Amino acid sequence: MKIVSWNCNMAFRKKHAEILEYKPDLLIIIECEEKEKLIAELKDIDFKEILWYGDNPHKGIALIRFGDFKIKLHKSYNPEFRYVLPFVLEADRKVNLFVIWAMPHESIRQRSYVGQIWAAVHHYEKLLKKDSLLIGDFNSNTIWDHTRKNGHHKDLVDFLAAKDIHSLYHKKYGEAHGGESLPTQFLYRHQDRPYHLDYCFASKSFIGKRTDIEIGKYDDWIGLSDHMPISVSNLEIGNWEEKRDA
């Protein structure tokens, strides 16, 4: 299975052609306009289903399904963690998929950015004991750990690692958190202000020898968004990818 996640920086309907070249089975778009506008623009695209969640019709989370699997919001979803969305993905195996878009909290400072993810993973801890995938714009990195006493990025990484859930990027490149060589975001689209903020954490149980992660390149994507897409391929969840591309 191939899953692609991208913070498109709004107006996805004007940018979809480029990201569809990845041929994803599941496309996760953050800062995406509402479902009705997407359907109108993508009517000629062979997608199976669009799910959309958000409070702002111009800026929410869309999941666009192309593959022959089922996906639905988990019955335990707690709106207190608005943009840590738990889904059940059913293909050759059942997976708990968490789509993440971390942002400031309106009233509780400790629930901003990684603080909201930290609270959410504790709330959903029982789900994380099963096959799980966490993907999206975490807006977090170990370089800012000094700003929190606890519940910072390293705490999150360690909490997930204890459940055998690991960052695919760091597994592939052997780099430490905070020492990433490939950025996923460029502040104000400036090439000299790079950060690594977007991740895919996956249970070891469906990481195979061919599982890979790719980060989009600055020159290819900066004209469309300040974030680079992350593409995760050959996850051992569904096995139809080779048949589709044949």
Side-chain angles (χ1 to χ4, degrees), residues 131-146:
D131 287 345
S132 297
L133 185 76
L134 299 89
I135 190 168
D137 177 5
F138 286 54
N139 262 316
S140 176
N141 192 287
T142 296
I143 61 175
W144 295 302
D145 281 359
H146 65 279

Side-chain angles (χ1 to χ4, degrees), residues 107-126:
S107 57
I108 306 174
R109 183 173 178 272
Q110 286 300 311
R111 288 283 181 91
S112 292
Y113 298 114
V114 70
Q116 180 151 130
I117 307 172
W118 179 246
V121 296
H122 283 80
H123 177 78
Y124 295 118
E125 186 170 5
K126 288 184 179 180

Side-chain angles (χ1 to χ4, degrees), residues 6 27 41 112-113 117 122 134 161 172 175 222 230 239:
W6 183 38
L27 180 58
E41 185 64 33
S112 292
Y113 298 114
I117 307 172
H122 283 80
L134 299 89
K172 174 180 178 178
E175 297 175 350
I222 202 60
I230 58 174
N239 297 318

